[in-house]
Amino acid sequence: MSESSEVLFIEGGRVIDPASGVDGVRTVVLRGGQVAEVAERVERPRDARVIDARGRWVTPGFIDAHVHLREPGQEYKETVETGARAAVAGGFTAVLAMPNTVPPNDSVAVTELVLARAAQAGLARVYPVGCISKGQKGEELAEMGELFQAGCVAFSDDGRPVSSSGLMRRALEYARTFGAPLAVHEEDLALVGKGVMNEGPAATRLGLKGNPAQAEEVMVSRDVALVELTGGRLHVCHLSTAGAVRAVRDAKARGLAVTAEVAPHHLALTDEDVAASGYDTDFKMAPPLRSDADRAAVRAALADGTIDCIATDHAPHSAVEKAVEFDVALNGILGLETAFSVCLALVREGALGERRLVEALTAAPARIFGLPGGSLAAGSPADVAILDPGAEWRCDPERLHSKSRNTPWKGKTMIGRCTHTLVGGNLVYELARGER
Protein backbone atom coordinates (compact mmCIF):
# COMPACT_ATOMS: atom_id res chain seq x y z
CA MET A 1 0.00 0.00 0.00
CA SER A 2 1.68 3.22 -1.14
CA GLU A 3 1.34 6.18 1.19
CA SER A 4 0.16 9.55 -0.12
CA SER A 5 2.66 12.42 -0.08
CA GLU A 6 -0.21 14.90 -0.32
CA VAL A 7 -1.27 17.17 2.55
CA LEU A 8 -4.99 16.80 3.19
CA PHE A 9 -7.25 18.69 5.59
CA ILE A 10 -10.53 17.12 6.75
CA GLU A 11 -12.48 20.03 8.18
CA GLY A 12 -15.65 20.60 10.19
CA GLY A 13 -16.52 17.01 11.06
CA ARG A 14 -17.19 15.49 14.45
CA VAL A 15 -14.06 13.49 15.18
CA ILE A 16 -14.83 10.36 17.20
CA ASP A 17 -11.60 8.61 18.16
CA PRO A 18 -12.04 6.51 21.30
CA ALA A 19 -8.38 5.45 21.29
CA SER A 20 -7.32 9.08 21.76
CA GLY A 21 -10.33 10.15 23.82
CA VAL A 22 -11.34 12.73 21.21
CA ASP A 23 -15.01 13.48 20.56
CA GLY A 24 -15.75 16.87 19.07
CA VAL A 25 -15.49 19.05 16.01
CA ARG A 26 -11.86 19.03 14.87
CA THR A 27 -9.68 19.40 11.82
CA VAL A 28 -7.74 16.29 10.86
CA VAL A 29 -4.50 16.89 8.96
CA LEU A 30 -2.99 14.01 6.96
CA ARG A 31 0.55 14.23 5.67
CA GLY A 32 2.94 11.66 4.24
CA GLY A 33 0.53 8.79 4.78
CA GLN A 34 0.15 9.50 8.49
CA VAL A 35 -2.10 11.52 10.76
CA ALA A 36 -0.13 14.73 11.33
CA GLU A 37 -2.50 16.57 13.66
CA VAL A 38 -6.02 16.64 15.08
CA ALA A 39 -6.94 20.02 16.52
CA GLU A 40 -9.76 22.55 16.89
CA ARG A 41 -7.93 25.18 14.90
CA VAL A 42 -5.25 24.55 12.31
CA GLU A 43 -3.90 27.11 9.85
CA ARG A 44 -4.35 25.70 6.39
CA PRO A 45 -2.02 26.46 3.47
CA ARG A 46 -3.94 27.97 0.56
CA ASP A 47 -2.99 25.15 -1.76
CA ALA A 48 -3.85 22.30 0.64
CA ARG A 49 -6.47 19.79 -0.42
CA VAL A 50 -9.65 19.90 1.66
CA ILE A 51 -12.54 17.57 2.41
CA ASP A 52 -15.55 19.32 3.92
CA ALA A 53 -16.87 16.94 6.61
CA ARG A 54 -19.47 19.21 8.20
CA GLY A 55 -22.42 17.24 9.55
CA ARG A 56 -20.48 13.97 9.42
CA TRP A 57 -18.43 11.74 11.68
CA VAL A 58 -14.71 11.43 11.12
CA THR A 59 -13.36 8.23 12.63
CA PRO A 60 -10.36 5.93 12.31
CA GLY A 61 -10.88 3.57 9.40
CA PHE A 62 -12.88 0.52 10.42
CA ILE A 63 -11.06 -2.80 10.84
CA ASP A 64 -12.98 -5.99 10.08
CA ALA A 65 -11.55 -9.02 11.83
CA HIS A 66 -13.55 -11.52 9.80
CA VAL A 67 -14.14 -11.52 6.03
CA HIS A 68 -14.15 -14.17 3.33
CA LEU A 69 -12.52 -12.88 0.14
CA ARG A 70 -12.82 -16.25 -1.65
CA GLU A 71 -9.58 -15.87 -3.64
CA PRO A 72 -7.94 -18.18 -4.56
CA GLY A 73 -10.38 -20.73 -5.89
CA GLN A 74 -13.83 -19.17 -5.72
CA GLU A 75 -13.40 -15.98 -7.70
CA TYR A 76 -16.93 -16.33 -9.06
CA LYS A 77 -18.13 -15.24 -5.58
CA GLU A 78 -15.55 -12.60 -4.69
CA THR A 79 -11.95 -11.64 -5.33
CA VAL A 80 -9.49 -9.86 -3.12
CA GLU A 81 -10.07 -6.76 -5.26
CA THR A 82 -13.89 -6.81 -5.20
CA GLY A 83 -13.91 -7.63 -1.50
CA ALA A 84 -11.50 -4.79 -0.77
CA ARG A 85 -13.69 -2.49 -2.87
CA ALA A 86 -16.74 -3.49 -0.82
CA ALA A 87 -14.70 -2.91 2.33
CA VAL A 88 -13.75 0.68 1.57
CA ALA A 89 -17.32 1.43 0.47
CA GLY A 90 -18.36 0.44 3.99
CA GLY A 91 -15.67 2.51 5.73
CA PHE A 92 -13.32 -0.44 6.34
CA THR A 93 -9.67 0.35 5.73
CA ALA A 94 -8.37 -3.05 6.85
CA VAL A 95 -9.76 -6.58 6.79
CA LEU A 96 -8.61 -9.97 8.00
CA ALA A 97 -9.03 -12.54 5.22
CA MET A 98 -10.16 -15.92 6.49
CA PRO A 99 -8.27 -18.97 5.17
CA ASN A 100 -11.10 -21.17 3.88
CA THR A 101 -10.21 -20.56 0.25
CA VAL A 102 -9.55 -23.24 -2.38
CA PRO A 103 -6.91 -24.33 -1.57
CA PRO A 104 -7.02 -23.18 2.05
CA ASN A 105 -4.41 -20.75 3.27
CA ASP A 106 -2.19 -23.34 4.91
CA SER A 107 0.87 -22.51 2.81
CA VAL A 108 3.16 -19.57 2.26
CA ALA A 109 2.23 -19.58 -1.43
CA VAL A 110 -1.43 -18.80 -0.69
CA THR A 111 -0.53 -16.16 1.89
CA GLU A 112 1.76 -14.44 -0.60
CA LEU A 113 -0.89 -14.60 -3.33
CA VAL A 114 -3.47 -12.89 -1.10
CA LEU A 115 -0.96 -10.18 -0.17
CA ALA A 116 0.01 -9.68 -3.83
CA ARG A 117 -3.62 -9.37 -4.93
CA ALA A 118 -4.26 -6.85 -2.15
CA ALA A 119 -1.26 -4.77 -3.20
CA GLN A 120 -2.45 -4.80 -6.82
CA ALA A 121 -5.91 -3.64 -5.75
CA GLY A 122 -4.50 -0.74 -3.72
CA LEU A 123 -7.68 -0.36 -1.68
CA ALA A 124 -8.08 -1.73 1.87
CA ARG A 125 -5.21 -3.26 3.81
CA VAL A 126 -5.63 -7.04 3.76
CA TYR A 127 -4.18 -9.17 6.55
CA PRO A 128 -4.23 -12.92 5.83
CA VAL A 129 -5.32 -15.41 8.46
CA GLY A 130 -3.58 -18.77 8.22
CA CYS A 131 -5.06 -22.19 8.87
CA ILE A 132 -4.77 -23.89 12.23
CA SER A 133 -4.71 -27.33 10.62
CA LYS A 134 -3.49 -28.54 7.25
CA GLY A 135 -6.32 -28.40 4.75
CA GLN A 136 -8.63 -27.35 7.61
CA LYS A 137 -9.08 -31.06 8.24
CA GLY A 138 -8.50 -30.82 11.98
CA GLU A 139 -5.93 -33.61 11.92
CA GLU A 140 -2.46 -32.05 11.79
CA LEU A 141 -1.19 -28.56 12.60
CA ALA A 142 -0.44 -26.29 9.66
CA GLU A 143 3.02 -24.75 9.38
CA MET A 144 1.93 -21.87 11.59
CA GLY A 145 5.43 -20.47 12.11
CA GLU A 146 6.03 -20.16 8.37
CA LEU A 147 2.60 -18.62 7.84
CA PHE A 148 3.26 -16.07 10.59
CA GLN A 149 6.60 -15.14 9.03
CA ALA A 150 4.87 -14.77 5.63
CA GLY A 151 2.39 -12.24 7.00
CA CYS A 152 -0.50 -14.07 8.69
CA VAL A 153 -1.67 -12.21 11.79
CA ALA A 154 -3.85 -14.96 13.32
CA PHE A 155 -4.89 -18.57 12.76
CA SER A 156 -8.28 -20.11 12.16
CA ASP A 157 -10.08 -23.05 10.60
CA ASP A 158 -13.12 -20.80 10.24
CA GLY A 159 -16.06 -22.42 8.57
CA ARG A 160 -15.25 -25.43 10.69
CA PRO A 161 -14.42 -25.98 14.37
CA VAL A 162 -11.26 -27.63 15.64
CA SER A 163 -13.05 -30.68 17.00
CA SER A 164 -9.97 -32.40 18.45
CA SER A 165 -9.21 -31.07 21.93
CA GLY A 166 -5.66 -32.39 21.64
CA LEU A 167 -5.00 -30.53 18.39
CA MET A 168 -6.54 -27.37 19.83
CA ARG A 169 -4.26 -27.61 22.84
CA ARG A 170 -1.18 -27.94 20.66
CA ALA A 171 -2.32 -25.06 18.43
CA LEU A 172 -2.74 -22.76 21.44
CA GLU A 173 0.69 -23.75 22.74
CA TYR A 174 2.37 -23.28 19.35
CA ALA A 175 0.71 -19.95 18.52
CA ARG A 176 1.70 -18.65 21.94
CA THR A 177 5.37 -18.73 20.92
CA PHE A 178 4.76 -15.87 18.47
CA GLY A 179 1.89 -14.19 20.31
CA ALA A 180 -0.81 -14.75 17.68
CA PRO A 181 -4.44 -15.46 18.61
CA LEU A 182 -6.49 -18.40 17.39
CA ALA A 183 -9.77 -17.13 15.90
CA VAL A 184 -12.16 -19.99 16.41
CA HIS A 185 -15.43 -21.11 14.86
CA GLU A 186 -17.17 -22.67 17.82
CA GLU A 187 -19.59 -25.47 16.95
CA ASP A 188 -19.82 -29.02 18.22
CA LEU A 189 -20.73 -30.75 14.99
CA ALA A 190 -22.27 -33.73 16.78
CA LEU A 191 -24.74 -31.37 18.45
CA VAL A 192 -25.33 -29.38 15.26
CA GLY A 193 -26.21 -32.57 13.41
CA LYS A 194 -28.34 -31.62 10.42
CA GLY A 195 -29.55 -28.42 12.04
CA VAL A 196 -29.98 -25.51 9.65
CA MET A 197 -31.40 -22.82 11.94
CA ASN A 198 -31.60 -22.07 15.65
CA GLU A 199 -33.31 -24.81 17.65
CA GLY A 200 -36.53 -23.37 19.04
CA PRO A 201 -40.19 -22.63 18.33
CA ALA A 202 -39.47 -20.90 15.00
CA ALA A 203 -37.62 -23.96 13.66
CA THR A 204 -40.45 -26.20 14.82
CA ARG A 205 -43.07 -24.07 13.06
CA LEU A 206 -41.01 -24.02 9.86
CA GLY A 207 -40.32 -27.74 9.97
CA LEU A 208 -36.55 -27.17 9.83
CA LYS A 209 -33.99 -29.06 11.90
CA GLY A 210 -32.59 -27.08 14.80
CA ASN A 211 -29.02 -26.18 15.77
CA PRO A 212 -28.98 -25.73 19.59
CA ALA A 213 -27.21 -22.86 21.32
CA GLN A 214 -25.33 -25.44 23.35
CA ALA A 215 -23.45 -26.53 20.21
CA GLU A 216 -21.59 -23.23 20.42
CA GLU A 217 -21.45 -22.99 24.20
CA VAL A 218 -19.77 -26.33 24.92
CA MET A 219 -16.97 -25.48 22.47
CA VAL A 220 -16.40 -22.01 23.95
CA SER A 221 -16.26 -23.55 27.44
CA ARG A 222 -13.81 -26.23 26.25
CA ASP A 223 -11.50 -23.70 24.65
CA VAL A 224 -11.58 -21.38 27.65
CA ALA A 225 -10.41 -24.36 29.71
CA LEU A 226 -7.62 -24.98 27.19
CA VAL A 227 -6.54 -21.34 27.38
CA GLU A 228 -6.29 -21.78 31.14
CA LEU A 229 -4.16 -24.87 30.57
CA THR A 230 -1.85 -23.43 27.90
CA GLY A 231 -1.70 -19.69 28.45
CA GLY A 232 -2.59 -19.21 24.77
CA ARG A 233 -4.77 -16.52 23.20
CA LEU A 234 -8.31 -17.27 22.05
CA HIS A 235 -10.56 -15.08 19.91
CA VAL A 236 -14.15 -16.32 19.63
CA CYS A 237 -15.56 -15.62 16.18
CA HIS A 238 -19.18 -14.57 15.57
CA LEU A 239 -20.35 -15.21 19.15
CA SER A 240 -24.12 -15.66 19.11
CA THR A 241 -25.54 -17.08 22.35
CA ALA A 242 -26.18 -15.96 25.92
CA GLY A 243 -24.32 -19.00 27.26
CA ALA A 244 -21.21 -18.17 25.21
CA VAL A 245 -21.38 -14.61 26.56
CA ARG A 246 -21.34 -16.01 30.11
CA ALA A 247 -18.32 -18.18 29.33
CA VAL A 248 -16.34 -15.27 27.84
CA ARG A 249 -17.33 -12.95 30.68
CA ASP A 250 -16.18 -15.51 33.24
CA ALA A 251 -12.89 -16.07 31.37
CA LYS A 252 -12.15 -12.36 31.32
CA ALA A 253 -12.98 -12.03 35.00
CA ARG A 254 -10.33 -14.68 35.65
CA GLY A 255 -7.77 -12.79 33.59
CA LEU A 256 -7.57 -15.24 30.69
CA ALA A 257 -6.52 -14.06 27.23
CA VAL A 258 -9.95 -14.47 25.65
CA THR A 259 -11.57 -11.96 23.27
CA ALA A 260 -14.71 -12.14 21.16
CA GLU A 261 -16.47 -10.61 18.18
CA VAL A 262 -20.12 -10.35 17.20
CA ALA A 263 -21.57 -9.99 13.71
CA PRO A 264 -24.05 -7.23 12.82
CA HIS A 265 -26.69 -9.79 11.82
CA HIS A 266 -26.59 -11.42 15.28
CA LEU A 267 -27.06 -7.97 16.82
CA ALA A 268 -29.98 -7.07 14.58
CA LEU A 269 -31.92 -10.23 13.70
CA THR A 270 -33.38 -13.33 15.37
CA ASP A 271 -34.71 -16.72 14.30
CA GLU A 272 -38.16 -15.14 14.05
CA ASP A 273 -36.79 -13.11 11.13
CA VAL A 274 -36.05 -16.40 9.37
CA ALA A 275 -39.69 -17.33 9.83
CA ALA A 276 -40.89 -13.91 8.65
CA SER A 277 -38.66 -14.09 5.57
CA GLY A 278 -40.46 -17.11 4.18
CA TYR A 279 -37.46 -19.44 3.97
CA ASP A 280 -35.26 -16.75 2.42
CA THR A 281 -31.78 -18.31 2.31
CA ASP A 282 -30.20 -14.88 2.78
CA PHE A 283 -31.20 -15.38 6.43
CA LYS A 284 -29.13 -18.57 6.69
CA MET A 285 -25.70 -18.44 8.27
CA ALA A 286 -23.49 -20.30 10.75
CA PRO A 287 -23.92 -19.83 13.60
CA PRO A 288 -27.62 -19.29 12.88
CA LEU A 289 -29.73 -16.33 13.89
CA ARG A 290 -30.61 -17.02 17.53
CA SER A 291 -33.46 -16.26 19.91
CA ASP A 292 -34.50 -12.82 21.09
CA ALA A 293 -32.90 -13.58 24.50
CA ASP A 294 -29.60 -14.42 22.80
CA ARG A 295 -29.75 -11.22 20.77
CA ALA A 296 -30.36 -9.21 23.94
CA ALA A 297 -27.37 -10.92 25.59
CA VAL A 298 -24.92 -10.19 22.77
CA ARG A 299 -26.11 -6.59 22.58
CA ALA A 300 -25.52 -6.09 26.30
CA ALA A 301 -22.15 -7.86 26.08
CA LEU A 302 -21.02 -5.60 23.26
CA ALA A 303 -22.09 -2.53 25.21
CA ASP A 304 -20.23 -3.54 28.39
CA GLY A 305 -17.09 -4.75 26.58
CA THR A 306 -17.46 -8.48 27.23
CA ILE A 307 -17.63 -8.78 23.45
CA ASP A 308 -14.69 -6.73 22.23
CA CYS A 309 -15.43 -5.93 18.62
CA ILE A 310 -17.85 -6.07 15.70
CA ALA A 311 -16.80 -8.21 12.71
CA THR A 312 -18.99 -8.73 9.68
CA ASP A 313 -18.30 -12.38 8.72
CA HIS A 314 -18.72 -11.09 5.14
CA ALA A 315 -19.47 -14.32 3.24
CA PRO A 316 -20.29 -13.89 -0.46
CA HIS A 317 -22.11 -16.69 -2.28
CA SER A 318 -23.41 -16.91 -5.84
CA ALA A 319 -27.11 -16.83 -6.68
CA VAL A 320 -26.93 -20.51 -7.66
CA GLU A 321 -25.71 -21.44 -4.18
CA LYS A 322 -28.51 -19.50 -2.49
CA ALA A 323 -31.47 -20.06 -4.87
CA VAL A 324 -32.15 -23.53 -3.48
CA GLU A 325 -34.10 -25.07 -0.59
CA PHE A 326 -33.23 -23.63 2.82
CA ASP A 327 -31.88 -27.00 3.97
CA VAL A 328 -29.19 -27.16 1.31
CA ALA A 329 -28.30 -23.47 0.79
CA LEU A 330 -24.80 -22.43 1.79
CA ASN A 331 -24.33 -20.46 5.00
CA GLY A 332 -23.39 -16.80 5.00
CA ILE A 333 -24.29 -13.28 3.93
CA LEU A 334 -22.59 -10.07 2.81
CA GLY A 335 -21.68 -7.64 5.56
CA LEU A 336 -19.07 -5.04 4.64
CA GLU A 337 -21.30 -2.44 3.01
CA THR A 338 -24.19 -2.59 5.46
CA ALA A 339 -22.38 -3.03 8.80
CA PHE A 340 -22.30 0.64 9.78
CA SER A 341 -25.97 1.30 9.14
CA VAL A 342 -27.08 -1.97 10.76
CA CYS A 343 -25.06 -1.26 13.90
CA LEU A 344 -25.95 2.43 13.99
CA ALA A 345 -29.56 1.34 14.48
CA LEU A 346 -28.51 0.03 17.91
CA VAL A 347 -27.38 3.54 18.82
CA ARG A 348 -30.76 4.97 17.84
CA GLU A 349 -32.46 2.28 19.92
CA GLY A 350 -30.33 3.16 22.96
CA ALA A 351 -28.63 -0.25 23.07
CA LEU A 352 -25.14 1.09 22.29
CA GLY A 353 -23.29 4.38 22.69
CA GLU A 354 -21.79 6.16 19.69
CA ARG A 355 -18.23 6.05 21.02
CA ARG A 356 -18.52 2.37 21.94
CA LEU A 357 -19.78 1.62 18.42
CA VAL A 358 -16.76 3.33 16.89
CA GLU A 359 -14.39 1.69 19.38
CA ALA A 360 -15.75 -1.77 18.51
CA LEU A 361 -15.08 -1.12 14.82
CA THR A 362 -11.65 0.50 15.18
CA ALA A 363 -9.44 0.42 18.28
CA ALA A 364 -10.70 -2.92 19.61
CA PRO A 365 -9.83 -5.09 16.59
CA ALA A 366 -6.51 -3.25 16.18
CA ARG A 367 -5.66 -4.07 19.79
CA ILE A 368 -6.67 -7.75 19.57
CA PHE A 369 -4.65 -8.49 16.44
CA GLY A 370 -1.77 -6.05 17.01
CA LEU A 371 -2.52 -4.06 13.87
CA PRO A 372 -1.57 -0.49 12.97
CA GLY A 373 -4.55 1.86 12.73
CA GLY A 374 -7.66 2.08 14.85
CA SER A 375 -6.62 5.55 16.03
CA LEU A 376 -6.25 9.10 14.76
CA ALA A 377 -3.39 9.93 17.11
CA ALA A 378 -0.50 11.80 15.50
CA GLY A 379 1.78 9.35 13.74
CA SER A 380 -0.96 6.79 13.13
CA PRO A 381 -1.61 5.53 9.59
CA ALA A 382 -3.79 7.99 7.68
CA ASP A 383 -6.65 5.49 7.53
CA VAL A 384 -9.90 7.41 7.95
CA ALA A 385 -13.64 6.89 7.47
CA ILE A 386 -16.03 9.81 6.97
CA LEU A 387 -19.59 8.82 7.76
CA ASP A 388 -22.96 10.49 7.39
CA PRO A 389 -25.03 9.16 10.34
CA GLY A 390 -28.23 10.62 8.91
CA ALA A 391 -27.92 9.48 5.32
CA GLU A 392 -30.93 7.47 4.19
CA TRP A 393 -30.45 4.96 1.40
CA ARG A 394 -32.03 1.87 -0.03
CA CYS A 395 -30.03 -1.34 -0.02
CA ASP A 396 -30.06 -2.43 -3.66
CA PRO A 397 -27.90 -5.57 -4.00
CA GLU A 398 -27.21 -4.71 -7.64
CA ARG A 399 -25.47 -1.52 -6.55
CA LEU A 400 -23.20 -3.13 -3.96
CA HIS A 401 -19.51 -3.47 -4.78
CA SER A 402 -19.24 -7.12 -3.81
CA LYS A 403 -19.47 -9.69 -6.60
CA SER A 404 -22.30 -11.44 -4.77
CA ARG A 405 -25.78 -10.28 -3.80
CA ASN A 406 -26.72 -12.36 -0.74
CA THR A 407 -27.93 -9.82 1.80
CA PRO A 408 -30.99 -9.98 4.08
CA TRP A 409 -31.23 -6.20 3.89
CA LYS A 410 -32.12 -6.12 0.20
CA GLY A 411 -34.76 -3.50 -0.49
CA LYS A 412 -34.58 -2.13 3.06
CA THR A 413 -34.18 1.54 3.86
CA MET A 414 -30.91 2.00 5.75
CA ILE A 415 -29.75 5.01 7.78
CA GLY A 416 -26.06 5.90 8.00
CA ARG A 417 -23.49 5.62 5.24
CA CYS A 418 -19.81 6.00 4.53
CA THR A 419 -19.11 8.96 2.22
CA HIS A 420 -15.28 8.89 2.05
CA THR A 421 -12.58 6.35 2.92
CA LEU A 422 -8.87 7.10 3.00
CA VAL A 423 -6.11 4.52 3.29
CA GLY A 424 -2.56 5.76 3.83
CA GLY A 425 -3.84 9.23 3.03
CA ASN A 426 -5.15 8.12 -0.38
CA LEU A 427 -8.83 8.72 -1.13
CA VAL A 428 -9.87 5.18 -2.12
CA TYR A 429 -13.64 5.65 -1.95
CA GLU A 430 -16.00 8.57 -2.35
CA LEU A 431 -19.77 8.17 -2.46
CA ALA A 432 -21.20 9.66 -5.63
CA ARG A 433 -22.68 13.11 -5.01
CA GLY A 434 -26.04 11.99 -6.37
CA GLU A 435 -26.26 9.38 -3.62
CA ARG A 436 -25.45 11.66 -0.67
Side-chain angles (χ1 to χ4, degrees):
M1 184 70 61
S2 63
E3 312 297 345
S4 173
S5 59
E6 188 178 46
V7 180
L8 177 65
F9 281 61
I10 303 172
E11 295 183 340
R14 176 187 169 192
V15 174
I16 305 177
D17 180 18
S20 302
V22 175
D23 185 353
V25 175
R26 301 284 192 280
T27 293
V28 178
V29 183
L30 309 180
R31 181 183 296 117
Q34 295 185 327
V35 178
E37 186 177 6
V38 177
E40 292 188 42
R41 292 182 179 277
V42 184
E43 183 143 354
R44 167 164 46 96
R46 293 181 63 182
D47 58 348
R49 189 176 177 195
V50 180
I51 294 178
D52 181 357
R54 286 176 295 179
R56 300 177 195 151
W57 293 1
V58 180
T59 73
F62 296 164
I63 298 172
D64 192 338
H66 193 141
V67 305
H68 299 274
L69 297 180
R70 305 303 191 199
E71 188 176 5
Q74 295 181 314
E75 289 85 350
Y76 64 96
K77 302 185 187 192
E78 196 76 288
T79 65
V80 173
E81 180 182 357
T82 59
R85 197 170 298 285
V88 297
F92 290 92
T93 56
V95 299
L96 271 63
M98 284 293 165
N100 58 336
T101 49
V102 183
N105 187 4
D106 61 358
S107 71
V108 170
V110 175
T111 302
E112 290 179 341
L113 182 144
V114 172
L115 288 171
R117 292 286 189 270
Q120 289 167 3
L123 296 165
R125 301 178 195 272
V126 176
Y127 297 103
V129 176
C131 289
I132 292 174
S133 67
K134 290 182 179 178
Q136 293 193 298
K137 295 179 179 176
E139 298 170 353
E140 184 181 358
L141 285 184
E143 298 293 346
M144 297 165 68
E146 293 180 6
L147 293 169
F148 185 73
Q149 290 298 322
C152 290
V153 299
F155 300 95
S156 178
D157 275 0
D158 186 57
R160 295 185 59 81
V162 178
S163 295
S164 164
S165 301
L167 189 76
M168 188 65 185
R169 173 185 178 170
R170 291 196 296 278
L172 284 163
E173 289 171 337
Y174 192 22
R176 184 186 174 193
T177 61
F178 29 85
L182 300 190
V184 287
H185 177 117
E186 300 289 48
E187 282 189 318
D188 183 316
L189 296 181
L191 285 175
V192 172
K194 296 182 180 179
V196 295
M197 69 172 290
N198 184 55
E199 184 171 301
T204 302
R205 292 201 311 275
L206 293 174
L208 295 172
K209 293 190 183 311
N211 172 347
Q214 288 75 12
E216 178 174 326
E217 294 161 4
V218 297
M219 291 294 281
V220 174
S221 296
R222 182 203 70 172
D223 288 343
V224 167
L226 291 175
V227 169
E228 193 164 21
L229 174 67
T230 62
R233 292 180 58 200
L234 183 78
H235 179 72
V236 179
C237 294
H238 39 53
L239 189 152
S240 71
T241 78
V245 166
R246 287 193 295 273
V248 170
R249 184 173 287 139
D250 177 66
K252 290 190 170 191
R254 291 189 287 132
L256 300 178
V258 176
T259 55
E261 68 188 37
V262 63
H265 45 269
H266 289 126
L267 291 165
L269 303 172
T270 72
D271 54 358
E272 291 296 340
D273 290 295
V274 180
S277 76
Y279 299 93
D280 185 341
T281 58
D282 287 340
F283 288 76
K284 185 183 180 189
M285 61 282 291
L289 298 173
R290 299 292 189 184
S291 70
D292 188 57
D294 290 314
R295 180 177 63 174
V298 297
R299 285 182 170 194
L302 178 65
D304 71 19
T306 301
I307 293 177
D308 300 82
C309 65
I310 296 168
T312 67
D313 193 9
H314 177 82
H317 289 299
S318 71
V320 171
E321 292 161 327
K322 281 293 195 180
V324 292
E325 294 84 359
F326 198 91
D327 282 340
V328 298
L330 294 184
N331 291 309
I333 61 169
L334 305 181
L336 286 165
E337 296 174 74
T338 52
F340 175 63
S341 24
V342 170
C343 295
L344 188 62
L346 273 63
V347 173
R348 291 195 301 275
E349 294 172 24
L352 196 64
E354 294 170 337
R355 292 179 63 173
R356 174 64 187 129
L357 169 63
V358 174
E359 205 264 345
L361 286 163
T362 59
R367 184 171 59 246
I368 293 167
F369 295 97
L371 304 176
S375 169
L376 294 178
S380 299
D383 295 357
V384 182
I386 303 176
L387 310 148
D388 184 344
E392 197 170 287
W393 59 287
R394 179 178 171 273
C395 181
D396 178 355
E398 298 302 322
R399 297 176 69 84
L400 297 179
H401 294 78
S402 171
K403 260 192 172 181
S404 294
R405 301 288 176 258
N406 51 310
T407 171
W409 284 281
K410 52 185 174 290
K412 301 289 186 185
T413 298
M414 318 290 282
I415 300 176
R417 198 169 197 186
C418 175
T419 62
H420 301 74
T421 304
L422 298 104
V423 178
N426 296 299
L427 182 63
V428 292
Y429 173 74
E430 182 174 6
L431 182 65
R433 291 192 177 276
E435 296 188 60
R436 296 184 200 172

